[in-house]
Structure formats: C-alpha cells, structure tokens
Amino acid sequence: MTLLPLPCSKIQDFSLPNSTWNSEMLQLYKHYNSLCEVETEGGEKEGQWKKIPGYNRLLKYATGGVYLSKIIQSKARLFTRNINEPGAGFEYVLFVNREEQKCVGIWQCGHLLEGPPGHVHGGAIATMIDTVTGCVASLTGAVMTANLNINYRSPIQLGTTVVIETVVEKIEGRKKFILCKVTSPDGTKLHTDATALFLSIDINKLLLGR
C-alpha cells in the first residue's frame, strides 16, 4: 500500500493560493500559515499549527483491494477535489493543531455548489463539515464517520469564505466525539454548528474489503 504524499513532481497541492481566492480567503490563509512558524531568538521554528497538503487522492494505489479495480483506482478522486476549474467548487485549506486537538478549515464556496438560489447546498456544507471533523479525528489514526448531527443556522452565499472550526471533545475507546462550528471570517455570524462521531478503524481491513 502506498499512501500520499509521495516524492513526485506530478502531485499537486490544491490548497495553495490561486487567482480565484478572494481577499478574506487570502487573509485567513496568511494568518494561519504564520502560526505554522514562530520566530525565536535562535531563528524560526515550527509552531503548534501545521498546514495539511490538499491532494486529490488519499491513496495512490492499494494492493489486495477487492472492491476497486486498478483502472477505477487510477481514476478515483476525492469528492472535494474533483472539480478541475479553480474556484468553482470546494476551494479550501486545512490547518491542524495536534497539541490542542483542533482543526480549522478555510473554505471559499464555489458557484457549482448552489442549493437555494445564490446560496450553498446543505449537502456541500455537510461534506465540508465531514472533511474537517474527519481531519481532526484522524490525527491519532484512521477513522470513519459514524454520525453527523448538523444544525443549519444561517445560509451561506456562494463565493463567500467561511471558517470551519473543529475540536476533539472526548475519546471513548474507538469512539471520537468532535465539536464543529461554521462561521463568517470575523466570527460574528454562526452559519452552522454540528457534532460528529468517528470510529477508529483498521485501514488494512478496509482496503481488503473486510
């Protein structure tokens, strides 16, 4: 089994700034990116926060998988990274803080994610909540979603940027309980809040279809 990232020049990080990012997206990216390195008297060192590369695959190739052929695996893409047009779909970047067990997602909502006229589809919001809560839940090992409980408080306009903040509430055996909220960049408007439950899994059993 070969997991990304791999030392290959063809692998693209889709979470780096591009020409479609608005000013709020860029400002938030610069803020959290600055937390990844801190200045000390002896120079710069790694901070508590770390940017997660935004590849369009989690697995490049898995040997022994019985549920996907090699052809299908070669064409598979992450759901949130399968729109080729920059800025049209899920334009986002993730930052994690392992010590505090937190993950922050900065998401600019593309025009292909429409639900209500001019606003983001609830399923797209749920997808991003699953993505960011799953990221923080997987800091200590592979997980799968068991439950998402989402409260939609205020619609999100297409083209705007929101902040998705998640934190591990508690861990009970295989169960990881996550808290999440989706807000405007300045935190004054709550768009969505949610709770999530993830279960730790054996990734090798998953790939073998067991």
Side-chain angles (χ1 to χ4, degrees):
M1 181 176 69
T2 305
L3 292 173
L4 292 178
L6 298 172
C8 175
S9 60
K10 294 182 180 180
I11 296 177
Q12 179 180 350
D13 184 352
F14 291 90
S15 63
L16 295 174
N18 63 59
S19 61
T20 71
W21 284 21
N22 61 31
S23 59
E24 289 180 323
M25 183 80 172
L26 285 169
Q27 184 177 4
L28 287 165
Y29 175 85
K30 291 177 181 178
H31 168 69
Y32 281 99
N33 205 44
S34 69
L35 300 179
C36 296
E37 293 184 353
V38 294
E39 292 187 2
T40 64
E41 292 183 358
E44 292 187 349
K45 67 175 185 179
E46 289 188 0
Q48 291 185 341
W49 289 87
K50 181 180 180 180
K51 176 185 170 296
I52 302 298
Y55 304 121
N56 60 9
R57 296 294 309 278
L58 288 181
L59 275 177
K60 184 178 181 182
Y61 175 68
T63 57
V66 297
Y67 67 104
L68 287 178
S69 70
K70 293 181 181 179
I71 295 176
I72 294 176
Q73 287 191 41
S74 67
K75 295 180 179 179
R77 296 292 181 271
L78 285 177
F79 181 55
T80 55
R81 298 290 188 193
N82 65 3
I83 298 176
N84 291 329
E85 181 184 350
F90 298 94
E91 198 71 46
Y92 69 98
V93 57
L94 304 179
F95 292 90
V96 296
N97 185 321
R98 289 181 178 273
E99 183 175 330
E100 298 180 6
Q101 297 188 83
K102 292 180 178 180
C103 179
V104 171
I106 307 166
W107 175 30
Q108 183 176 298
C109 314
H111 58 271
L112 295 184
L113 304 181
E114 186 176 52
H119 292 81
V120 181
H121 194 288
I125 298 171
T127 295
M128 284 305 302
I129 289 175
D130 190 30
T131 297
V132 186
T133 54
C135 181
V136 74
S138 63
L139 288 177
T140 54
V143 296
M144 287 191 72
T145 312
N147 178 268
L148 282 178
N149 187 357
I150 301 173
N151 299 305
Y152 296 95
R153 306 293 186 183
S154 178
I156 301 172
Q157 290 185 348
L158 294 174
T160 59
T161 298
V162 294
V163 179
I164 306 172
E165 298 178 87
T166 64
V167 63
V168 177
E169 180 185 23
K170 61 180 178 179
I171 299 176
E172 297 178 352
R174 292 180 58 210
K175 298 179 180 180
K176 298 181 180 182
F177 298 85
I178 314 297
L179 301 177
C180 175
K181 64 178 180 179
V182 183
T183 68
S184 58
D186 60 5
T188 59
K189 177 178 287 188
L190 177 65
H191 291 290
T192 314
D193 60 72
T195 58
L197 170 62
F198 289 84
L199 295 179
S200 298
I201 62 168
D202 184 335
I203 190 66
N204 293 312
K205 290 183 177 180
L206 176 68
L207 296 174
L208 293 172
R210 295 175 180 173

